[in-house]
Amino acid sequence: MPPITLASTYAQASPGEHQGFEYTRSHNPTRYALERAVARLEGSHLTDSDDASFGGFAFSSGMAAISCLLDTLSAGDRVLAMDDLYGGSHRLFRQVRSRSQNLQFDFADLSNPDAIKDAVTDDTRLIWIESPSNPMLKLADLQEIANVARDRGILCACDNTFASPMLQRPLELGFDIVMHSATKYLGGHSDVVAGMLVTGDATLAERIRFHQNSVGSILGPFDSYLVLRGIKTLEVRMNRHCENASAIADMLASHDRVRSVIYPGHPNHPQHELACRQMRLGNNPAGGGMITMTLDTDLEGCRRFLEAVQIFTLAESLGGVESLVNHPAIMTHASVPEKDRAALGIDDSLVRLSVGIETLEDLMSDLQNALDAIG
Ligand SMILES: *Cc1c(COP(=O)(O)O)cnc(C)c1O
């Protein structure tokens, strides 16, 4: 195990003659170990070098990671973003960076390959996508987006939080940057908040390293250790998340209290074929651990369901070993303007499940009991 190096500074033999580390905001051995590990998991080719340009960067939160990436852009630059996004990303784009940095954000349904070409402008500098997206679990065709971006010399970045590098590695399909809320599957135990950026491009890596150090929202050594520790079981956990979620999606799809189920691994998902191609665990298609569903009831019925669950915990966040349930309209996506929520289908009876690794039968009966409680 790498030691948790808590030193903020390092002794120098003579001015400028240091031991490889000078000051922990700039570099820290524990954080380096995590940054290298995630860069390797995402397939960055920069991990072999010994210097600071190895392509992985750890931040104090997922939002800090996205902020740092936006800091590499210049005032006035245009960003094309997927319309369905994590609520916090939406808020950062619309309510902070469009004002403080004068960035111009265009939103489009990038799950539709034709929409990408129409939505890209001559000034677009960055394409930002989530796949699967939060909370509607729309997929973007990563290969297709990388091709459009490359043809036009636009950077493209993927928030890979929902899939994790176990299911898909966007860099291998031509993406420039991958971002993670390591708070979720990478950490995996709901006990740390952390964010990551990864690139396979040396020039971009240097630029991100410069901004990470300049802006300073780095991940601390102890938190770096927690994420590293979580990653050791990432593959085992993802296997179980996918297995449990797939069985639960089947059960929900035939339940009369459930109007619709959205799960990339279920044949009724409109992009199931893309999901089978793009999201894989080992040699098999894998739909991930997230399920979104619309209950066949109103807000009050929805509340009865959410208050009745016993093993699922009603809480924000996702990707931990314990199952969580969330009401996007009131909880995670409250900061998305109501008319945008309506356009995306985030209504009062929409519920998002983060399926954990508990015994499947327990999760099934918990959901069935809570669905019965709708009345
Ligand atoms: C949670 C989340 C974020 C934000 O990450 P934090 O670690 O909470 O700052 C960004 N994107 C997605 C998809 C998320 O789920």
Side-chain angles (χ1 to χ4, degrees):
M1 291 301 296
I4 303 172
T5 304
L6 295 170
S8 60
T9 190
Y10 304 83
Q12 305 192 10
S14 181
E17 200 181 301
H18 52 75
Q19 332 154 25
F21 294 94
E22 288 176 54
Y23 184 62
T24 272
R25 173 166 31 74
S26 316
H27 4 71
N28 171 276
T30 319
R31 197 178 84 225
Y32 262 25
L34 170 65
E35 291 176 333
R36 267 180 213 281
V38 177
R40 290 211 173 113
L41 277 173
E42 283 292 354
S44 166
H45 294 298
L46 299 176
T47 53
D48 299 333
S49 71
D50 254 353
D51 60 19
S53 59
F54 51 76
F57 310 91
F59 297 89
S60 53
S61 69
M63 295 321 300
I66 304 175
S67 289
C68 182
L69 178 62
L70 296 181
D71 281 325
T72 67
L73 301 178
S74 299
D77 279 351
R78 269 200 117 77
V79 178
L80 170 60
M82 182 99 164
D83 54 359
D84 187 40
L85 286 184
Y86 174 69
S89 306
H90 227 274
R91 181 175 53 199
L92 176 69
F93 291 173
R94 292 213 167 176
Q95 297 184 48
V96 182
R97 293 315 186 107
S98 52
R99 172 181 50 77
S100 69
Q101 203 179 346
N102 193 28
L103 292 177
Q104 311 291 312
F105 291 96
D106 301 310
F107 294 90
D109 179 5
L110 301 182
S111 66
N112 172 0
D114 297 330
I116 308 165
K117 290 180 192 115
D118 294 342
V120 172
T121 72
D122 289 343
D123 307 326
T124 306
R125 287 272 296 116
L126 173 72
I127 298 178
W128 177 264
I129 62 130
E130 282 177 23
S131 184
S133 65
N134 183 357
M136 301 310 287
L137 305 180
K138 294 200 275 192
L139 305 194
D141 187 326
L142 299 177
Q143 184 80 68
E144 188 72 30
I145 290 183
N147 289 347
V148 172
R150 191 185 309 107
D151 286 350
R152 311 209 179 195
I154 302 170
L155 286 177
C156 59
C158 177
D159 180 339
N160 205 23
T161 300
F162 271 36
S164 92
M166 287 300 110
L167 303 195
Q168 72 191 13
R169 286 174 293 283
L171 298 184
E172 292 175 354
L173 299 173
F175 266 70
D176 301 296
I177 299 140
V178 165
M179 174 263 160
H180 279 282
S181 168
T183 316
K184 316 295 167 53
Y185 288 107
L186 295 181
H189 296 74
S190 305
D191 56 6
V192 61
V193 172
M196 299 291 313
L197 292 177
V198 181
T199 181
D201 179 291
T203 312
L204 211 50
E206 206 171 305
R207 196 138 120 231
I208 296 171
R209 184 69 74 200
F210 171 81
H211 284 83
Q212 182 193 35
N213 183 43
S214 303
V215 177
S217 50
I218 46 124
L219 191 65
F222 193 75
D223 289 345
S224 297
Y225 161 79
L226 281 175
V227 179
L228 262 176
R229 182 174 162 129
I231 285 174
K232 289 176 192 294
T233 54
L234 180 61
E235 198 216 8
V236 184
R237 286 186 284 111
M238 286 315 293
N239 251 304
R240 179 68 167 241
H241 284 299
C242 292
E243 246 175 60
N244 278 355
S246 169
I248 287 174
D250 284 347
M251 181 274 280
L252 294 172
S254 58
H255 198 288
D256 59 5
R257 273 301 184 189
V258 178
R259 197 177 303 146
S260 64
V261 174
I262 310 172
Y263 181 64
H266 195 276
N268 73 6
H269 190 285
Q271 295 167 290
H272 181 61
E273 188 260 331
L274 174 62
C276 291
R277 190 153 37 88
Q278 191 163 278
M279 297 170 66
R280 303 183 73 85
L281 195 51
N283 291 322
N284 301 313
M290 301 300 296
I291 301 173
T292 298
M293 63 174 164
T294 312
L295 297 180
D296 194 12
T297 182
D298 56 7
L299 180 58
E300 284 318 305
C302 217
R303 271 188 202 282
R304 285 194 289 280
F305 169 80
L306 294 168
E307 289 167 4
V309 288
Q310 305 259 316
I311 295 176
F312 278 82
T313 301
L314 176 62
E316 305 202 355
S317 199
L318 61 111
V321 291
E322 292 96 357
S323 294
L324 300 179
V325 59
N326 160 52
H327 189 275
I330 296 179
M331 295 165 65
T332 48
H333 288 70
S335 66
V336 177
E338 197 175 341
K339 105 175 145 33
D340 295 345
R341 283 206 306 266
L344 290 165
I346 306 177
D347 62 25
D348 281 348
S349 39
L350 191 83
V351 166
R352 190 190 74 185
L353 304 176
S354 171
V355 178
I357 65 167
E358 301 93 331
T359 301
L360 177 61
E361 289 69 32
D362 292 346
L363 295 177
M364 291 274 210
S365 63
D366 190 35
L367 290 172
Q368 265 148 355
N369 291 340
L371 287 166
D372 289 345
I374 292 172

